Amino acid sequence: MSGSDPPTANADAASDAIAARLDAVEERVDALETARERRDSVEERIDAVGEEAVVDAADAYRKAVRLLDRYEDSATGTGDFQAYVEFQDKFLGLVEGLGESVPAREAFEAAAERMDQRRLSDADFERAREDLDPAAEYVDLLDRREDATERLSKARRDAKLHLDELDADIEARSEMLSFADIDLDAPVEALREPIRAYDEAVTAEFESFYESAPIADVVGFLERAESFPLVDFRPPPRDLKSFVRESPDADEPIPTLLEYAEFTGSKLDHYAEDPAALQTNVAVHRTYLERLSADPLTVSVPPPPAGELRPWAGEAISLLNRFATSETIARLRTVRDLTRRADYAELRLAARAHEELDSDELERVRSGAASTELQRLRDARGRLSAALDGDVASSSHSERHSGDEAG
């Protein structure tokens, strides 16, 4: 169990976290609605004119402005006559090729009329740009739609990420509330104390066995453990098994052999009877040997369900005979007998609650605050999800409508 903070401080922090999460939901909903309204407003203006017409007008405006920018220096005054002719041909041809339905057509025709003269000045080019100003609206419309679409996409992404965060919060409180119907005041020490006593004893005795017994005995123990699959020791490597059967150094304990394996060849010759076998079979398995522990033989709190603990304990007792004292084996039998208590399942769930929840979380489960928090989070998630679903539906409708106009 965690935490030295006072329960009231933890409760305040939890309330603040919920409030922040709910505020963030409102921000995401507002962002979605604002972005959608902005996008829809631009779409309505484009639809009123017609998608194809707006695109044609914007494309013509961009081409016209590019021509003005490109030829302004070369086609003015008494400059390059060829550039003047080329400019007029392209500019007037652009305007003549516009369809009758292109909006702001009068703006293009006014600019073309201004450019259709024998000599052009810088002022003519500047006024032609002013003539084209009404058509710039359609470029602006498309730019605004692109910006609004990007903003809406970002609002969607933010909303989806927040939904994931809400789901994590909801899952956490649902797990908390899985303990709501159990007796949180049940005497869990009736499980905790026997298990702790056994775990401490078996850990200490396995460490002693590991540190002092010949490697041959430890590897032999691990080989025997292969016959008991419920006790999850990792099987010893094949060449390590060969080493303990064949090497005269197999009567040394594991820590000593690992120390020898660090020696240089000349130094190792003074300590090991078969230095090559030690280097080949022990040094290469240092990680495996160093990670050996009593963990597969411990129970921990909360313990497994009775149907799992009883058969596991039977296999573990058979293995403990290799190194543990009768007192430690008796402690494991006591732990196994706990599963025969009528209230074992209830005590186990209560122990799990005390291990997984801190004191504030336990109190919030008892008081019903956690249930209220869960409902508020679910409501907020529903609101955000509905806003996101509504936006997707609106977007689909808008895309279909635009497609109809374009067709």
Side-chain angles (χ1 to χ4, degrees), residues 127-187:
R127 291 189 185 100
R129 291 188 179 91
E130 294 173 0
D131 291 334
L132 291 172
D133 278 347
E137 173 190 354
Y138 302 101
V139 176
D140 180 61
L141 272 178
L142 295 179
D143 289 344
R144 285 167 55 198
R145 179 171 68 178
E146 182 178 1
D147 178 68
T149 300
E150 289 178 358
R151 289 174 181 268
L152 183 54
S153 295
K154 181 180 184 304
R156 288 173 183 159
R157 290 194 300 271
D158 291 346
K160 290 176 181 177
L161 287 173
H162 204 68
L163 279 179
D164 291 341
E165 294 171 358
L166 278 169
D167 286 340
D169 285 347
I170 289 170
E171 182 179 1
R173 277 161 182 79
S174 296
E175 290 177 355
M176 286 172 56
L177 288 171
S178 68
F179 302 114
D181 295 329
I182 68 173
D183 181 6
L184 296 175
D185 298 316

Side-chain angles (χ1 to χ4, degrees), residues 136-390:
E137 173 190 354
Y138 302 101
V139 176
D140 180 61
L141 272 178
L142 295 179
D143 289 344
R144 285 167 55 198
R145 179 171 68 178
E146 182 178 1
D147 178 68
T149 300
E150 289 178 358
R151 289 174 181 268
L152 183 54
S153 295
K154 181 180 184 304
R156 288 173 183 159
R157 290 194 300 271
D158 291 346
K160 290 176 181 177
L161 287 173
H162 204 68
L163 279 179
D164 291 341
E165 294 171 358
L166 278 169
D167 286 340
D169 285 347
I170 289 170
E171 182 179 1
R173 277 161 182 79
S174 296
E175 290 177 355
M176 286 172 56
L177 288 171
S178 68
F179 302 114
D181 295 329
I182 68 173
D183 181 6
L184 296 175
D185 298 316
V188 295
E189 291 303 315
L191 296 184
R192 185 179 288 124
E193 288 305 322
I195 291 172
R196 183 176 296 157
Y198 164 71
D199 283 350
E200 291 175 356
V202 76
T203 298
E205 290 182 5
F206 185 87
E207 288 177 359
S208 177
F209 176 57
Y210 173 88
E211 292 172 0
S212 60
I215 188 174
D217 291 354
V218 177
V219 172
F221 165 81
L222 295 169
E223 287 184 283
R224 177 167 171 74
E226 292 183 64
S227 300
F228 298 96
L230 297 181
V231 183
D232 192 22
F233 277 105
R234 183 181 168 191
R238 181 180 302 175
D239 49 352
L240 204 55
K241 295 179 184 179
S242 299
F243 173 81
V244 302
R245 286 194 295 267
E246 300 168 4
S247 174
D249 297 308
D251 59 351
E252 295 287 355
I254 291 173
T256 300
L257 291 175
L258 291 177
E259 182 182 2
Y260 288 171
E262 295 180 350
F263 294 169
T264 60
S266 58
K267 183 177 180 181
L268 183 58
D269 290 340
H270 296 290
Y271 290 90
E273 296 186 44
D274 190 353
L278 193 152
Q279 287 285 358
T280 303
N281 299 294
V282 175
V284 297
H285 295 300
R286 174 179 293 277
T287 300
Y288 170 80
L289 292 170
E290 288 179 339
R291 288 180 178 175
L292 289 174
S293 73
D295 285 352
L297 291 166
T298 58
V299 178
S300 76
V301 178
E308 295 178 18
L309 181 55
R310 277 197 293 267
W312 174 88
E315 292 193 4
I317 288 171
S318 297
L319 283 171
L320 289 179
N321 288 321
R322 286 298 187 100
F323 70 87
T325 64
S326 58
E327 181 180 359
T328 297
I329 294 173
R331 290 182 186 278
L332 180 52
R333 288 196 174 100
T334 298
V335 171
R336 181 183 61 185
D337 291 344
L338 292 172
T339 64
R340 306 188 188 285
R341 290 180 57 129
D343 60 351
Y344 176 78
E346 177 185 347
L347 291 175
R348 176 180 170 273
L349 287 175
R352 182 181 159 204
H354 283 276
E355 290 296 320
E356 295 182 11
L357 306 181
D358 62 28
S359 58
D360 170 63
E361 290 169 334
L362 287 170
E363 180 55 35
R364 280 155 55 208
V365 170
R366 286 191 180 99
S367 68
S371 178
T372 300
E373 293 170 1
L374 177 60
Q375 188 57 52
R376 293 178 69 192
L377 287 169
R378 284 174 171 164
D379 291 344
R381 191 199 186 286
R383 174 164 165 70
L384 183 55
S385 181
L388 189 57
D389 290 343

